[in-house]
């Protein structure tokens, strides 16, 4: 991938947008990703955010500034990295292959637990992933 495309992807993802392509729309997060290069796009939330969830109040919230690492599934080598925007969306171009999406968590007062997520990226397509991190609030 050219540096121009990578820079454009990072700029657009940083402001909550991505390269336009109606064919790769993720209905759950509203992310639009390019269909002409392989990669990973997704949405990350944290919750519960209150001890008791109610019908008219959200129980999760987007997780901004989360660092998501794309690790090669067989070697564990870091292949790509993305930082989620204020809406919890992230996007990164990576070659086709098998990956583990790992959330690198900073030290916080709340002990978040985010699952590692196995995904397969095919050539010329983005793979979407939704990650829910547990805040431990009960």
């Amino acid at each position: 991938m050219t540096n121009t495309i990578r820079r454009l992807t990072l700029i657009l993802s940083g402001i909550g947008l991505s390269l336009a392509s109606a064919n790769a729309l993720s209905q759950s997060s509203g992310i639009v990703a390019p269909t002409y290069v392989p990669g990973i796009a997704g949405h990350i939330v944290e919750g519960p955010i209150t001890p008791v969830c109610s019908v008219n109040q959200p129980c999760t919230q987007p997780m901004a500034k989360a660092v998501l690492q794309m690790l090669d599934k067989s070697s564990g080598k870091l292949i790509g990295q993305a930082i989620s925007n204020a809406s919890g969306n992230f996007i990164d171009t990576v070659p086709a292959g098998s990956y583990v999406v790992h959330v690198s968590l900073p030290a916080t007062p709340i002990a978040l637990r985010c699952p590692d997520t196995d995904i397969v990226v095919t050539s010329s397509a983005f793979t979407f992933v939704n990650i829910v991190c547990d805040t431990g609030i009960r």
Side-chain angles (χ1 to χ4, degrees), residues 18-138:
S18 62
L19 299 172
S21 172
N23 294 331
L25 177 64
S26 169
Q27 297 299 323
S28 63
S29 63
I31 299 172
V32 180
T35 57
Y36 52 85
V37 293
I40 299 169
H43 186 71
I44 183 167
V45 297
E46 57 186 339
I49 55 173
T50 62
V52 178
C53 297
S54 61
V55 176
N56 295 323
Q57 182 178 358
C59 201
T60 62
Q61 66 186 10
M63 192 169 167
K65 299 182 182 177
V67 177
L68 297 108
Q69 299 174 328
M70 303 354 152
L71 308 172
D72 181 271
K73 186 169 170 117
S74 60
S75 70
K77 179 182 174 186
L78 179 66
I79 304 298
Q81 184 169 288
I83 298 174
S84 62
N85 64 17
S87 299
N89 297 329
F90 62 91
I91 186 170
D92 193 25
T93 55
V94 295
S98 295
Y99 295 93
V100 174
V101 178
H102 173 76
V103 181
S104 178
L105 297 169
T108 63
I110 298 174
L112 287 171
R113 291 179 299 281
C114 301
D116 284 347
T117 306
D118 294 342
I119 62 170
V120 175
V121 175
T122 59
S123 62
S124 299
F126 264 72
T127 301
F128 290 92
V129 61
N130 288 309
I131 300 172
V132 179
C133 296
D134 185 358
T135 62
I137 297 173
R138 303 288 187 266

